[in-house]
Amino acid sequence: MCAHILIAEDDGMQAELIRRLLVKEGHRAVVVSDGRAALDEARNHPPDLVILDVMLPGLDGFGVCRVLRRDADIPVLMLTARSAEDDLLLGLDLGADDYMTKPYSPRELLARIRIVLRRTLRPVEESPVLRVGGVTVDPVRHEVTCDGAAVGCTPGEFAILTAMAAEPERVFSRRQLLEHTRGHDRASTERAIDMHIMNLRKKIEADPRAPARLLTVFGVGYKLVDGEGPS
């Protein structure tokens, strides 16, 4: 699986390390060192994945992620030297697919990259369109509609919605949903699932504060229902 990957990192040594790791894996890697350059490169040569440092000069990683999510559906893996949970949740709220804190293991970084690329580049096997009430998920075309209107989802959100739409009314724990979005279960990242659920509610619920489709089962997890009858 050869991918075109954009590395936005102002630390030259870190950027070169990541570039060499990716080239060794068979990918094509382009490096930029500031936020504006990252946006220009992504617009002119859309990558399959952006590895995005938070602390970029000119326009920080959060700003870059915000614009990328507004203009395109490019997977984003964010890197930061700050470990505050607020930063992690902000990155996920902006649509980042994953988030790693420096210093990180090169092996773990490659593993995370592989997971994102497998989910976004590998052809999806033919499967039926999934319908739960007014929500429709097409795994082949990677499309979601809600009451007939198109809904834009990040790869992580799409993975969650596909899993839940395949088994409506089933209650999924956060750990189980992590297996669908990341391929491994790390207790420290289960809060990320809550952020994905919150973002999905904004997209498929008439009133995200009083969800009728994507429900919380307190103490257990979440389930997707048709939203047209009692839950």
Side-chain angles (χ1 to χ4, degrees), residues 4 18 27 47 61 68-70 73 78 87-88 105 123 137-138 155-156 165 168 181 186 192-193 198-199 203 222 226:
H4 171 45
I18 297 171
H27 303 301
L68 287 176
R69 275 290 165 259
R70 184 189 68 199
D73 187 22
M78 300 193 79
D87 286 345
L88 183 151
S105 158
V137 181
D138 187 333
T181 59
R186 293 180 52 182
I193 295 300
M198 185 178 74
N199 289 337
K203 298 173 181 181
Y222 301 101
D226 64 19

Side-chain angles (χ1 to χ4, degrees), residues 137-148:
V137 181
D138 187 333
V140 174
R141 294 178 175 82
H142 205 278
E143 295 175 347
V144 176
T145 62
C146 181
D147 298 328

Side-chain angles (χ1 to χ4, degrees), residues 12-33:
M13 292 182 63
Q14 286 286 325
E16 180 61 14
L17 171 63
I18 297 171
R19 189 194 69 80
R20 290 184 180 183
L21 288 170
L22 293 175
V23 170
K24 188 175 181 180
E25 288 278 298
H27 303 301
R28 290 177 289 115
V30 175
V31 175
V32 296
S33 58

